[in-house]
Amino acid sequence: MRLASLVLFLATLLPMAGCATDGDWVELKGQRYEVELADDHAERNRGLMFRESLAEGTGMLFVHDAERPLAYWMKNTKIPLDIFYFDASRKLVSVSRGVPPCSLGDRCPPYPSSGPAMYVLELNAGQANALDVRAGDPITFGPGIPDRGEP
């Protein structure tokens, strides 16, 4: 009887385990997003390619080794995205809103930053408008995200 009660109790806790947010996160305009990190060459190249969807409240943060003009594209990306470019001091440089999926391979168009950037955040399309972001808006990193720029 005790074992059955313990199993039943643990089964009620399992759904809550998925609610814990111990993963990496960023915060923009008071909204927190769980993010996957792409902080090496291979991860940055793959990005969100071939994904069928991106869960609400999640995204991908690309961390570069140096601040420089960047351009991202949607090669093999199936999800419309907003692409946010941040400089080394974690201030918004520019955003490409509502970037459509692209299945043209190497012929997909680039979406460049309007100035040097070090961090790129990709979220579901529409988030930039919903947050009403503007150049200069700061992004906050959770404790697990490497800081390669100036705080």
Side-chain angles (χ1 to χ4, degrees), residues 1-67:
M1 179 69 171
R2 283 188 176 167
L3 181 59
S5 295
L6 178 61
V7 168
L8 182 61
F9 174 73
L10 291 175
T12 62
L13 292 179
L14 282 176
M16 290 188 281
C19 296
T21 55
D22 293 336
D24 294 316
W25 57 267
V26 300
E27 193 170 289
L28 181 60
K29 301 281 288 220
Q31 179 68 44
R32 188 170 286 193
Y33 296 91
E34 275 192 52
V35 293
E36 294 178 55
L37 285 182
D39 59 358
D40 67 32
H41 185 71
E43 291 170 343
R44 287 189 299 265
N45 277 344
R46 178 135 176 116
L48 292 170
M49 286 184 183
F50 308 110
R51 304 268 182 105
E52 297 291 332
S53 64
L54 184 61
E56 185 175 330
T58 68
M60 182 170 275
L61 181 69
F62 299 80
V63 180
H64 291 268
D65 297 324
E67 185 181 71

Side-chain angles (χ1 to χ4, degrees), residues 106-118:
D106 290 343
R107 295 179 314 189
C108 292
Y111 296 89
S113 60
S114 66
M118 181 174 273

